[in-house]
Coordinates of all heavy atoms in Angstrom, one line a residue:
M23 N 267.1 24.1 170.2 CA 267.8 24.1 171.5 C 267.0 25.1 172.5 O 266.9 24.7 173.6 CB 269.2 24.6 171.3 CG 270.0 24.7 172.5 SD 270.3 23.0 173.1 CE 271.4 23.3 174.4
L24 N 266.6 26.2 171.9 CA 265.8 27.2 172.8 C 264.5 26.6 173.2 O 264.1 26.8 174.4 CB 265.6 28.5 172.0 CG 265.1 29.6 172.8 CD1 266.0 30.0 173.9 CD2 264.9 30.8 171.9
T25 N 263.9 25.8 172.4 CA 262.6 25.2 172.7 C 262.8 24.1 173.8 O 262.0 24.0 174.8 CB 262.0 24.5 171.5 OG1 261.9 25.4 170.4 CG2 260.6 23.9 171.8
Y26 N 263.9 23.4 173.8 CA 264.3 22.4 174.8 C 264.5 23.1 176.2 O 264.0 22.6 177.2 CB 265.5 21.6 174.4 CG 266.0 20.7 175.4 CD1 265.3 19.5 175.7 CD2 267.2 20.9 176.2 CE1 265.7 18.6 176.6 CE2 267.6 20.1 177.1 CZ 266.9 18.9 177.4 OH 267.3 18.0 178.3
I27 N 265.2 24.2 176.2 CA 265.4 24.9 177.4 C 264.1 25.5 178.0 O 263.9 25.4 179.2 CB 266.5 26.0 177.2 CG1 267.8 25.4 176.9 CG2 266.6 26.9 178.5 CD1 268.9 26.4 176.5
G28 N 263.3 26.0 177.1 CA 262.0 26.5 177.6 C 261.1 25.4 178.1 O 260.4 25.6 179.2
A29 N 261.1 24.3 177.5 CA 260.3 23.2 178.0 C 260.8 22.7 179.3 O 260.1 22.3 180.2 CB 260.3 22.0 177.0
L30 N 262.1 22.6 179.5 CA 262.8 22.2 180.7 C 262.4 23.2 181.8 O 262.1 22.8 183.0 CB 264.3 22.1 180.5 CG 265.0 21.5 181.8 CD1 264.6 20.1 182.1 CD2 266.5 21.6 181.5
A31 N 262.5 24.5 181.6 CA 262.2 25.5 182.5 C 260.7 25.4 183.0 O 260.4 25.5 184.1 CB 262.4 26.9 182.0
L32 N 259.8 25.1 182.0 CA 258.4 25.0 182.3 C 258.2 23.8 183.2 O 257.4 23.8 184.2 CB 257.6 24.9 181.0 CG 256.1 24.7 181.2 CD1 255.5 25.9 181.9 CD2 255.4 24.5 179.9
F33 N 258.9 22.7 182.9 CA 258.8 21.4 183.7 C 259.2 21.7 185.1 O 258.6 21.2 186.1 CB 259.6 20.3 183.0 CG 259.6 19.0 183.8 CD1 258.4 18.3 183.8 CD2 260.7 18.6 184.4 CE1 258.4 17.1 184.5 CE2 260.6 17.4 185.1 CZ 259.5 16.6 185.2
V34 N 260.4 22.4 185.3 CA 260.9 22.6 186.6 C 259.9 23.5 187.4 O 259.6 23.3 188.6 CB 262.3 23.3 186.5 CG1 262.7 23.8 187.9 CG2 263.3 22.3 186.0
A35 N 259.3 24.5 186.7 CA 258.4 25.4 187.4 C 257.1 24.7 187.8 O 256.6 24.9 188.9 CB 258.0 26.6 186.4
L36 N 256.7 23.7 187.0 CA 255.5 22.9 187.4 C 255.8 22.0 188.6 O 255.0 21.8 189.5 CB 255.0 22.1 186.2 CG 254.3 22.9 185.2 CD1 254.0 22.0 184.0 CD2 253.0 23.5 185.7
L37 N 257.0 21.5 188.6 CA 257.5 20.6 189.8 C 257.5 21.5 191.1 O 257.1 21.0 192.1 CB 258.8 20.0 189.5 CG 258.9 18.8 188.6 CD1 260.3 18.3 188.4 CD2 258.0 17.7 189.1
I38 N 258.0 22.7 191.0 CA 258.1 23.5 192.1 C 256.6 23.8 192.7 O 256.4 23.9 193.9 CB 258.8 24.8 191.8 CG1 260.3 24.5 191.6 CG2 258.7 25.8 193.0 CD1 261.2 25.6 191.2
L39 N 255.7 24.1 191.7 CA 254.3 24.4 192.2 C 253.6 23.2 192.7 O 252.8 23.3 193.6 CB 253.6 25.0 191.0 CG 253.9 26.4 190.5 CD1 253.2 26.7 189.3 CD2 253.7 27.4 191.6
L40 N 253.9 22.0 192.2 CA 253.2 20.8 192.6 C 253.7 20.2 193.9 O 253.0 19.6 194.6 CB 253.2 19.8 191.5 CG 252.4 20.1 190.2 CD1 252.6 19.0 189.2 CD2 250.9 20.3 190.5
F41 N 255.0 20.5 194.2 CA 255.6 19.9 195.4 C 256.1 21.0 196.3 O 257.2 21.4 196.2 CB 256.7 19.0 195.0 CG 256.3 17.8 194.3 CD1 256.6 17.7 192.9 CD2 255.5 16.8 194.8 CE1 256.2 16.6 192.2 CE2 255.1 15.7 194.1 CZ 255.5 15.6 192.8
P42 N 255.2 21.6 197.1 CA 255.6 22.7 198.0 C 256.6 22.2 199.1 O 256.5 21.1 199.5 CB 254.3 23.2 198.6 CG 253.4 22.1 198.5 CD 253.8 21.3 197.3
R43 N 257.4 23.2 199.5 CA 258.4 22.8 200.6 C 257.6 22.8 201.9 O 256.6 23.5 202.1 CB 259.5 23.9 200.6 CG 260.3 23.9 199.4 CD 261.3 25.0 199.5 NE 260.6 26.3 199.4 CZ 261.1 27.5 199.7 NH1 262.3 27.6 200.0 NH2 260.4 28.6 199.6
E44 N 258.2 22.1 202.9 CA 257.7 22.1 204.2 C 258.1 23.3 204.9 O 259.2 23.8 204.7 CB 258.2 20.8 205.0 CG 257.6 19.5 204.5 CD 258.1 18.4 205.4 OE1 258.4 18.6 206.5 OE2 258.0 17.3 204.9
D45 N 257.2 23.8 205.8 CA 257.5 25.0 206.6 C 258.3 24.6 207.8 O 257.8 23.9 208.7 CB 256.2 25.7 207.0 CG 256.5 27.0 207.7 OD1 257.6 27.5 207.6 OD2 255.5 27.6 208.2
P46 N 259.6 24.9 207.9 CA 260.4 24.5 209.1 C 259.9 25.1 210.4 O 260.3 24.6 211.4 CB 261.8 24.9 208.7 CG 261.6 26.0 207.8 CD 260.3 25.8 207.0
A47 N 259.2 26.2 210.4 CA 258.8 26.8 211.6 C 257.7 26.0 212.3 O 257.5 26.1 213.5 CB 258.2 28.2 211.3
V48 N 256.9 25.2 211.6 CA 255.8 24.4 212.2 C 256.3 23.0 212.4 O 256.6 22.3 211.4 CB 254.6 24.5 211.4 CG1 253.5 23.6 212.0 CG2 254.1 25.9 211.2
P49 N 256.4 22.5 213.6 CA 256.8 21.1 213.8 C 255.8 20.2 213.2 O 254.6 20.4 213.2 CB 256.9 20.9 215.3 CG 256.3 22.1 215.9 CD 256.2 23.2 214.9
P50 N 256.2 19.0 212.6 CA 255.3 18.1 211.9 C 254.2 17.6 212.9 O 253.0 17.4 212.5 CB 256.2 17.0 211.4 CG 257.5 17.5 211.4 CD 257.6 18.6 212.4
E51 N 254.5 17.3 214.1 CA 253.5 16.8 215.0 C 252.4 17.8 215.3 O 251.2 17.4 215.5 CB 254.1 16.3 216.3 CG 254.9 17.3 217.1 CD 256.4 17.4 216.7 OE1 256.8 16.7 215.8 OE2 257.1 18.2 217.3
A52 N 252.7 19.1 215.4 CA 251.7 20.1 215.6 C 250.8 20.2 214.4 O 249.6 20.4 214.5 CB 252.4 21.4 215.9
E53 N 251.4 20.1 213.2 CA 250.6 20.1 212.0 C 249.6 19.0 211.9 O 248.5 19.1 211.5 CB 251.5 20.2 210.8 CG 250.9 20.5 209.5 CD 251.9 20.6 208.4 OE1 252.7 21.6 208.4 OE2 251.8 19.8 207.4
Q54 N 250.1 17.8 212.3 CA 249.2 16.6 212.3 C 248.1 16.8 213.2 O 246.9 16.4 213.0 CB 250.0 15.4 212.6 CG 251.0 15.0 211.5 CD 251.9 13.8 211.9 OE1 251.9 13.4 213.0 NE2 252.7 13.3 210.9
K55 N 248.3 17.3 214.4 CA 247.3 17.5 215.4 C 246.2 18.4 214.9 O 245.0 18.2 215.1 CB 247.8 18.1 216.7 CG 248.6 17.0 217.5 CD 249.0 17.7 218.8 CE 249.8 16.7 219.7 NZ 250.3 17.4 220.9
T56 N 246.6 19.6 214.3 CA 245.6 20.5 213.8 C 244.8 20.0 212.6 O 243.6 20.3 212.5 CB 246.2 21.9 213.4 OG1 247.3 21.6 212.5 CG2 246.8 22.5 214.7
E57 N 245.5 19.2 211.8 CA 244.8 18.6 210.6 C 243.8 17.5 211.1 O 242.7 17.4 210.5 CB 245.8 18.0 209.6 CG 246.5 19.0 208.9 CD 247.6 18.3 207.9 OE1 247.7 17.1 207.9 OE2 248.3 19.1 207.3
A58 N 244.1 16.8 212.1 CA 243.2 15.7 212.6 C 242.0 16.3 213.3 O 241.0 15.6 213.4 CB 244.0 14.8 213.5
G59 N 242.2 17.5 213.9 CA 241.1 18.1 214.6 C 241.0 17.6 216.0 O 240.2 18.2 216.8
G60 N 241.7 16.6 216.4 CA 241.6 16.0 217.8 C 242.5 16.8 218.7 O 242.2 16.8 219.9
G61 N 243.6 17.4 218.2 CA 244.5 18.1 219.1 C 244.3 19.6 219.1 O 243.5 20.1 218.4
D62 N 245.0 20.2 220.0 CA 244.9 21.7 220.1 C 245.9 22.3 219.3 O 247.0 21.8 219.1 CB 245.1 22.1 221.6 CG 244.0 21.6 222.5 OD1 242.8 21.5 222.0 OD2 244.2 21.4 223.7
A63 N 245.6 23.5 218.7 CA 246.6 24.2 217.9 C 247.6 24.9 218.9 O 247.2 25.3 220.0 CB 245.9 25.3 217.1
V64 N 248.8 25.0 218.5 CA 249.8 25.7 219.3 C 249.6 27.2 219.2 O 249.6 27.8 218.1 CB 251.2 25.3 218.8 CG1 252.3 26.0 219.6 CG2 251.4 23.8 218.8
P65 N 249.4 27.9 220.3 CA 249.2 29.3 220.3 C 250.5 30.0 219.8 O 251.6 29.7 220.1 CB 248.9 29.7 221.7 CG 249.0 28.5 222.5 CD 249.3 27.4 221.7
T66 N 250.3 31.1 219.0 CA 251.5 31.8 218.4 C 251.6 33.2 219.0 O 252.6 33.9 218.8 CB 251.3 31.9 216.9 OG1 250.1 32.6 216.6 CG2 251.4 30.6 216.2
T67 N 250.7 33.6 219.9 CA 250.7 34.9 220.5 C 250.5 34.7 222.0 O 250.0 33.7 222.5 CB 249.7 35.9 220.0 OG1 248.4 35.3 220.3 CG2 249.8 36.1 218.5
L68 N 250.9 35.7 222.8 CA 250.6 35.7 224.2 C 249.2 35.6 224.5 O 248.7 34.9 225.4 CB 251.3 36.9 224.9 CG 251.3 36.9 226.4 CD1 251.9 35.6 227.0 CD2 252.1 38.1 226.9
E69 N 248.4 36.4 223.8 CA 246.9 36.3 224.0 C 246.4 34.9 223.7 O 245.5 34.4 224.4 CB 246.2 37.4 223.1 CG 246.5 38.8 223.5 CD 247.7 39.4 222.8 OE1 248.5 38.6 222.2 OE2 248.0 40.6 222.9
G70 N 246.9 34.3 222.7 CA 246.4 32.9 222.4 C 246.8 32.0 223.5 O 246.1 31.0 223.8
A71 N 248.0 32.1 224.0 CA 248.4 31.3 225.1 C 247.5 31.5 226.4 O 247.2 30.5 227.0 CB 249.9 31.5 225.5
L72 N 247.2 32.7 226.6 CA 246.3 33.0 227.7 C 244.9 32.3 227.5 O 244.3 31.8 228.5 CB 246.1 34.5 228.0 CG 247.3 35.2 228.6 CD1 247.2 36.7 228.6 CD2 247.5 34.7 230.0
V73 N 244.4 32.4 226.3 CA 243.1 31.8 226.0 C 243.2 30.3 226.2 O 242.3 29.7 226.7 CB 242.6 32.2 224.6 CG1 241.4 31.4 224.1 CG2 242.3 33.7 224.5
A74 N 244.3 29.7 225.7 CA 244.4 28.2 225.8 C 244.5 27.9 227.3 O 243.8 26.9 227.7 CB 245.7 27.8 225.1
Q75 N 245.2 28.6 228.1 CA 245.2 28.4 229.6 C 243.8 28.5 230.2 O 243.4 27.7 231.1 CB 246.2 29.3 230.3 CG 247.6 29.0 230.0 CD 248.6 30.0 230.6 OE1 248.1 31.0 231.1 NE2 249.8 29.7 230.6
L76 N 243.1 29.5 229.8 CA 241.7 29.7 230.3 C 240.8 28.5 229.9 O 240.1 28.0 230.8 CB 241.1 31.0 229.8 CG 239.7 31.4 230.2 CD1 239.7 31.6 231.7 CD2 239.2 32.6 229.5
V77 N 240.9 28.1 228.7 CA 240.0 27.0 228.2 C 240.3 25.7 228.9 O 239.5 24.9 229.3 CB 240.1 26.9 226.7 CG1 239.5 25.6 226.2 CG2 239.5 28.1 226.0
H78 N 241.6 25.5 229.2 CA 242.0 24.2 229.8 C 241.9 24.3 231.4 O 242.2 23.3 232.0 CB 243.5 23.9 229.5 CG 243.7 23.5 228.1 ND1 243.1 22.4 227.5 CD2 244.4 24.1 227.1 CE1 243.4 22.4 226.2 NE2 244.2 23.4 225.9
G79 N 241.5 25.4 231.9 CA 241.2 25.5 233.3 C 242.5 25.8 234.1 O 242.5 25.6 235.3
E80 N 243.6 26.1 233.5 CA 244.9 26.4 234.2 C 244.9 27.7 234.9 O 245.6 27.9 235.9 CB 246.0 26.3 233.2 CG 246.2 25.0 232.5 CD 247.2 24.9 231.4 OE1 247.9 26.0 231.2 OE2 247.3 23.9 230.7
I81 N 244.1 28.7 234.4 CA 243.9 30.0 235.0 C 242.4 30.3 235.2 O 241.6 29.8 234.4 CB 244.7 31.1 234.3 CG1 244.1 31.3 232.9 CG2 246.2 30.9 234.3 CD1 244.7 32.5 232.1
S82 N 242.1 31.2 236.1 CA 240.7 31.5 236.3 C 240.4 32.7 235.4 O 241.2 33.3 234.8 CB 240.5 31.9 237.8 OG 241.2 33.1 238.1
R83 N 239.1 33.0 235.4 CA 238.6 34.2 234.6 C 239.2 35.5 235.1 O 239.6 36.3 234.3 CB 237.1 34.2 234.6 CG 236.5 35.3 233.7 CD 235.0 35.2 233.7 NE 234.5 36.3 232.9 CZ 233.2 36.5 232.7 NH1 232.3 35.7 233.3 NH2 232.8 37.5 232.0
A84 N 239.3 35.6 236.4 CA 239.9 36.8 237.0 C 241.4 37.0 236.6 O 241.9 38.1 236.3 CB 239.7 36.8 238.5
Q85 N 242.1 35.8 236.7 CA 243.5 35.9 236.3 C 243.7 36.2 234.8 O 244.6 37.0 234.4 CB 244.2 34.5 236.6 CG 244.3 34.2 238.0 CD 244.8 32.8 238.2 OE1 244.4 31.8 237.5 NE2 245.6 32.6 239.2
Y86 N 242.8 35.7 234.0 CA 242.8 36.0 232.5 C 242.6 37.5 232.3 O 243.3 38.1 231.6 CB 241.8 35.2 231.8 CG 241.6 35.5 230.4 CD1 242.5 35.1 229.4 CD2 240.5 36.3 230.0 CE1 242.3 35.5 228.1 CE2 240.3 36.6 228.6 CZ 241.2 36.2 227.7 OH 241.0 36.5 226.4
Q87 N 241.6 38.0 233.0 CA 241.3 39.5 232.8 C 242.4 40.3 233.3 O 242.8 41.4 232.7 CB 240.0 39.8 233.5 CG 238.8 39.2 232.8 CD 237.5 39.4 233.6 OE1 237.5 39.7 234.7 NE2 236.3 39.3 232.8
A88 N 243.0 40.0 234.4 CA 244.2 40.7 235.0 C 245.4 40.7 234.0 O 246.0 41.7 233.8 CB 244.6 40.2 236.3
A89 N 245.6 39.5 233.4 CA 246.7 39.4 232.5 C 246.5 40.2 231.3 O 247.4 40.9 230.7 CB 247.0 37.9 232.2
L90 N 245.2 40.2 230.8 CA 244.9 41.0 229.6 C 245.0 42.5 229.9 O 245.5 43.3 229.0 CB 243.5 40.7 229.1 CG 243.4 39.5 228.2 CD1 242.0 39.3 227.6 CD2 244.4 39.5 227.1
S91 N 244.6 42.9 231.1 CA 244.8 44.4 231.4 C 246.2 44.8 231.5 O 246.6 45.9 231.1 CB 244.0 44.7 232.7 OG 244.7 44.3 233.8
Q92 N 247.1 43.9 232.0 CA 248.5 44.2 232.1 C 249.1 44.2 230.6 O 249.9 45.1 230.3 CB 249.2 43.1 232.9 CG 249.0 43.2 234.3 CD 249.6 42.0 235.1 OE1 250.1 41.1 234.5 NE2 249.5 42.0 236.4
L93 N 248.6 43.3 229.8 CA 249.1 43.4 228.4 C 248.7 44.7 227.7 O 249.5 45.3 226.9 CB 248.5 42.2 227.6 CG 249.2 40.9 227.8 CD1 248.4 39.8 227.0 CD2 250.6 40.9 227.3
A94 N 247.4 45.1 228.0 CA 247.0 46.3 227.3 C 247.7 47.6 227.9 O 248.1 48.4 227.1 CB 245.5 46.5 227.6
A95 N 248.1 47.6 229.2 CA 248.8 48.7 229.7 C 250.2 48.7 229.1 O 250.8 49.8 228.8 CB 248.9 48.5 231.2
R96 N 250.8 47.5 229.0 CA 252.2 47.4 228.4 C 252.2 47.9 226.9 O 253.0 48.6 226.5 CB 252.7 46.0 228.5 CG 254.1 45.9 228.0 CD 254.6 44.4 228.1 NE 254.0 43.7 227.0 CZ 254.1 42.4 226.8 NH1 254.9 41.7 227.6 NH2 253.5 41.8 225.8
D97 N 251.1 47.5 226.2 CA 251.0 47.9 224.8 C 250.8 49.4 224.7 O 251.4 50.0 223.8 CB 249.9 47.1 224.2 CG 249.8 47.4 222.7 OD1 250.8 47.3 222.0 OD2 248.7 47.7 222.2
D98 N 250.0 49.9 225.6 CA 249.8 51.4 225.6 C 251.1 52.2 225.9 O 251.3 53.2 225.3 CB 248.7 51.8 226.6 CG 248.3 53.2 226.5 OD1 248.1 53.7 225.3 OD2 248.1 53.8 227.5
E99 N 251.9 51.6 226.8 CA 253.1 52.2 227.1 C 254.1 52.2 226.0 O 254.8 53.1 225.7 CB 253.7 51.6 228.4 CG 255.0 52.2 228.9 CD 255.5 51.5 230.1 OE1 254.7 51.4 231.1 OE2 256.6 51.0 230.1
R100 N 254.2 51.0 225.3 CA 255.1 50.8 224.2 C 254.7 51.5 222.9 O 255.5 52.0 222.2 CB 255.3 49.3 223.9 CG 256.1 48.6 225.0 CD 256.3 47.2 224.7 NE 257.0 46.5 225.7 CZ 257.2 45.2 225.7 NH1 256.8 44.4 224.7 NH2 257.9 44.6 226.7
N101 N 253.4 51.5 222.6 CA 252.9 52.0 221.4 C 251.7 53.0 221.7 O 250.6 52.6 221.5 CB 252.4 50.9 220.5 CG 253.5 49.9 220.2 OD1 254.6 50.3 219.8 ND2 253.2 48.6 220.4
P102 N 251.9 54.2 222.2 CA 250.8 55.1 222.5 C 250.1 55.5 221.2 O 250.7 55.7 220.2 CB 251.5 56.2 223.2 CG 252.9 56.2 222.8 CD 253.2 54.8 222.5
L103 N 248.8 55.7 221.3 CA 248.0 56.1 220.2 C 248.0 57.7 220.2 O 247.9 58.3 221.3 CB 246.6 55.6 220.3 CG 246.4 54.1 220.1 CD1 245.0 53.7 220.2 CD2 246.9 53.7 218.7
A104 N 248.1 58.3 219.1 CA 248.0 59.7 218.9 C 246.7 60.0 218.2 O 246.4 59.5 217.1 CB 249.2 60.3 218.2
V105 N 245.9 60.9 218.8 CA 244.7 61.3 218.2 C 245.0 62.3 217.1 O 245.7 63.2 217.3 CB 243.7 61.9 219.2 CG1 242.4 62.4 218.6 CG2 243.5 61.0 220.4
P106 N 244.4 62.1 215.9 CA 244.7 63.0 214.7 C 244.2 64.4 215.1 O 243.1 64.6 215.6 CB 243.9 62.4 213.6 CG 243.6 61.0 213.9 CD 243.6 60.9 215.4
G107 N 245.0 65.3 214.8 CA 244.6 66.7 215.0 C 245.0 67.2 216.4 O 244.8 68.4 216.7
S108 N 245.5 66.4 217.3 CA 245.8 66.8 218.7 C 247.1 67.7 218.7 O 247.4 68.2 219.8 CB 245.9 65.6 219.6 OG 247.0 64.8 219.2
D109 N 247.8 67.7 217.6 CA 249.1 68.5 217.6 C 248.8 70.0 217.3 O 249.7 70.8 217.3 CB 250.1 67.9 216.6 CG 249.5 67.8 215.2 OD1 248.3 68.0 215.0 OD2 250.3 67.6 214.3
R110 N 247.6 70.4 217.0 CA 247.2 71.8 216.8 C 247.2 72.6 218.1 O 246.8 72.1 219.1 CB 245.9 71.9 216.1 CG 245.8 71.2 214.7 CD 244.5 71.5 214.1 NE 243.4 71.6 215.1 CZ 242.1 71.4 214.9 NH1 241.7 71.0 213.8 NH2 241.3 71.6 215.9
P111 N 247.6 73.8 218.1 CA 247.6 74.6 219.3 C 246.2 74.9 219.8 O 246.0 75.0 221.0 CB 248.3 76.0 218.9 CG 248.9 75.7 217.6 CD 248.2 74.5 217.0
D112 N 245.2 75.0 218.9 CA 243.9 75.3 219.4 C 243.0 74.0 219.7 O 241.9 74.1 219.9 CB 243.1 76.1 218.4 CG 243.0 75.4 217.0 OD1 243.8 74.5 216.8 OD2 242.1 75.8 216.2
A113 N 243.6 72.9 219.7 CA 242.9 71.6 219.9 C 242.4 71.5 221.3 O 241.4 70.9 221.5 CB 243.8 70.4 219.5
C114 N 243.1 72.0 222.3 CA 242.8 71.9 223.7 C 241.8 73.0 224.1 O 241.3 72.9 225.2 CB 244.0 71.8 224.6 SG 245.0 70.4 224.2
A115 N 241.6 74.0 223.3 CA 240.9 75.2 223.8 C 239.4 74.9 223.7 O 238.8 74.0 223.2 CB 241.2 76.4 222.9

């Protein structure tokens, strides 16, 4: 009986490995486009969306650079970098 349960568990594990689940976050039509190579990939970040707009001619190079500088300023405001060792009292002297 124990051998039967072990064999059944092994069979189920192999089925799970051989038949992966679909990722619900990626729509099937977007997946088909990227596999075929003929379509564009869907950007997943704001930077990727800006690059796609630049490549398709929807924005100019100056608009792209201005948008990236605004993104960098926003990122610097939200997540400022701290230089290691700058918390010492003698670091500014």
